[in-house]
Structure formats: structure tokens, C-alpha cells
């Protein structure tokens, strides 16, 4: 019953019937159906969408009072971002930056980007990468996350950093290949730039089977007969 009730509320929310969703939620709460702590996230999001920001803040704090971990803070931050209040997500997550929780830092980066601070987003990633002692791996995760949005241009920036700071030739080669993929996703006609990245990958680790397979896969994104790697 709880799963069905939650889905019904979320279906109304997706269709922008916020008040109807809120009332259905409250009815299910009164009947003892939606009682899990995570349901407070749903209620807070509905309240925020209705412009009841103070009520949403109180609901989220009730949720966090019972379980204040990196995962729950990210869940609340994402709820704020879902309703266009990325600045509140930044305020929630910024104090946690020094803890170097990867999910928190990726969420903080998203919040900074969505609040109109893209330069600070990348500076946050840079501080995280340097402090971690494994810069290349951090930048690869950032690049992969940005690719999923998708934000190919910013993913390319992250992969370029990974290519610069990778721990091994293979790591750097894989970053160059990822950079080439981001280039082609953004513009399939940008063949010269993509090919330079693929050649760099092969120069670094052209005997590694994973690198070879990845280069071949990326090269297939380009139109046939347009590059020298076929």
C-alpha cells in the first residue's frame, strides 16, 4: 500500500497537480500509510512547490533530525534543486565540503551550477581532487557525472583535467578517449579535435587492450569515411 500511495502522489506531482498531491499525501499519512522517514522528503518537496518554503524547511529538518548523514543531506539538497532552490542546496551542503564525501561533493557541484556559479563548481571539484590525492580518478568521476546530464562541454573540461593528472599512462589514455567522446557528442563534425584526443590515447597506451577497444568504440561515433582511424 505504501509504494502504491507514494507512486500516486508522485504521479500527481509530475503532472503539476501539487495541491492534489499534497492532500493525497496527508490523507495517506492520516491513515498510517506513508510513515517512512523518506516520505518527509516528498512532503517537503510538495510544500516547496506550493511556495511554502518555511514549512518545507521545517519538514526537511524533521527528517534530518532523525538521520543526518551524507546520503540524507544529499536527498534534501536534491529536493531543493528539484523545486528550483539550488541556493538552499548550496547552503546545506557547503559546510560538508571538507568531509570529502564524493556524493556530497557532486551534489554540491550541481547545486553551484544550478545556482549560477559554474566557476565555483569547478573550483570545488579542483579542491576535492587535490585533497583526495587521486586527481585523475576524481576528474573522471566528475566527467562521467556531467556526461550523464548530459553536459558534454563541461564533461570535456573534466576529462581534460583527468588526462593531465591521471596516475598511469592507461588512466590518462582513457581520459583522452573520454574527452574525444565528449567532443563528438557535442559536435559530430569536430573530427580534428576528437582525433587528436584519440591519437593521444594511443600514443600513451596503444598496446593496452582496453584503451584500444575504447578508442575503436569512440571512433565509431564519427561519420564513416571521415577520419584516419578506421
Amino acid at each position: 500500500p505504501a509504494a502504491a500511495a507514494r507512486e500516486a502522489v508522485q504521479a500527481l506531482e509530475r503532472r503539476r497537480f501539487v495541491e492534489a498531491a499534497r492532500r493525497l499525501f496527508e490523507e495517506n499519512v492520516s491513515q498510517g500509510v506513508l510513515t517512512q522517514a523518506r516520505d518527509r522528503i516528498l512532503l517537503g518537496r510538495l510544500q516547496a512547490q506550493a511556495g511554502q518554503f518555511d514549512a518545507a524547511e521545517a519538514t526537511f529538518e524533521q527528517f534530518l533530525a532523525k538521520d543526518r548523514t551524507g546520503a540524507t543531506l544529499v536527498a534534501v539538497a536534491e529536493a531543493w534543486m528539484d523545486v528550483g532552490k539550488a541556493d538552499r542546496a548550496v547552503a546545506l551542503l557547503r559546510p560538508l565540503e571538507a568531509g570529502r564525501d564524493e556524493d556530497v561533493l557532486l551534489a554540491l557541484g550541481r547545486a553551484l551550477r544550478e545556482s549560477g556559479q559554474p566557476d565555483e563548481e569547478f573550483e570545488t571539484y579542483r579542491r576535492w581532487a587535490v585533497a583526495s590525492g587521486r586527481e585523475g580518478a576524481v576528474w573522471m568521476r566528475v566527467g562521467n557525472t556531467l556526461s550523464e546530464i548530459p553536459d558534454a562541454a563541461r564533461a570535456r573540461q573534466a576529462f581534460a583535467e583527468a588526462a593531465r593528472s591521471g596516475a598511469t599512462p592507461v588512466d590518462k589514455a582513457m581520459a583522452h578517449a573520454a574527452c574525444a567522446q565528449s567532443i563528438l557528442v557535442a559536435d559530430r563534425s569536430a573530427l580534428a579535435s576528437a582525433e587528436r584526443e584519440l591519437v593521444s590515447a594511443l600514443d600513451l597506451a596503444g598496446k593496452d587492450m582496453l584503451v584500444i577497444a575504447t578508442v575503436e568504440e569512440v571512433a565509431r561515433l564519427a561519420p564513416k569515411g571521415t577520419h584516419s582511424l578506421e
Side-chain angles (χ1 to χ4, degrees), residues 27-189:
E27 178 64 24
N28 278 282
V29 169
S30 69
Q31 293 178 12
V33 178
L34 295 179
T35 58
Q36 294 185 22
R38 66 191 178 100
D39 292 323
R40 308 304 292 179
I41 296 286
L42 177 55
L43 175 59
R45 193 169 65 230
L46 291 170
Q47 291 169 328
Q49 288 182 87
Q52 301 168 2
F53 299 120
D54 290 342
E57 186 80 55
T59 297
F60 290 144
E61 281 303 319
Q62 289 171 7
F63 169 66
L64 292 173
K66 296 180 180 179
D67 183 15
R68 200 177 189 89
T69 62
T72 58
L73 285 159
V74 167
V76 171
E78 289 177 342
W80 280 125
M81 287 186 274
D82 288 344
V83 298
K85 291 293 179 181
D87 56 332
R88 294 193 180 226
V90 171
L92 183 67
L93 297 176
R94 177 64 90 189
L96 305 176
E97 181 179 347
R100 300 209 295 274
D101 180 305
E102 294 193 359
D103 291 331
V104 168
L105 290 164
L106 287 169
L108 175 57
R110 175 189 164 190
L112 289 164
R113 180 172 64 256
E114 294 186 9
S115 63
Q117 304 177 68
D119 291 341
E120 180 55 26
E121 173 198 5
F122 261 66
E123 284 306 309
T124 298
Y125 296 148
R126 198 177 307 282
R127 289 192 293 271
W128 166 26
V130 171
S132 73
R134 49 190 189 86
E135 287 188 67
V138 167
W139 282 115
M140 282 296 287
R141 180 162 186 198
V142 169
N144 289 330
T145 299
L146 291 170
S147 294
E148 290 170 4
I149 293 175
D151 187 340
R154 295 177 71 72
R156 179 184 178 182
Q157 288 182 257
F159 289 134
E161 292 286 351
R164 174 191 59 78
S165 57
T168 69
V170 170
D171 290 340
K172 292 180 179 182
M174 292 297 289
H176 278 291
C179 195
Q181 181 169 339
S182 295
I183 291 169
L184 291 172
V185 167
D187 181 2
R188 292 186 72 203
S189 68

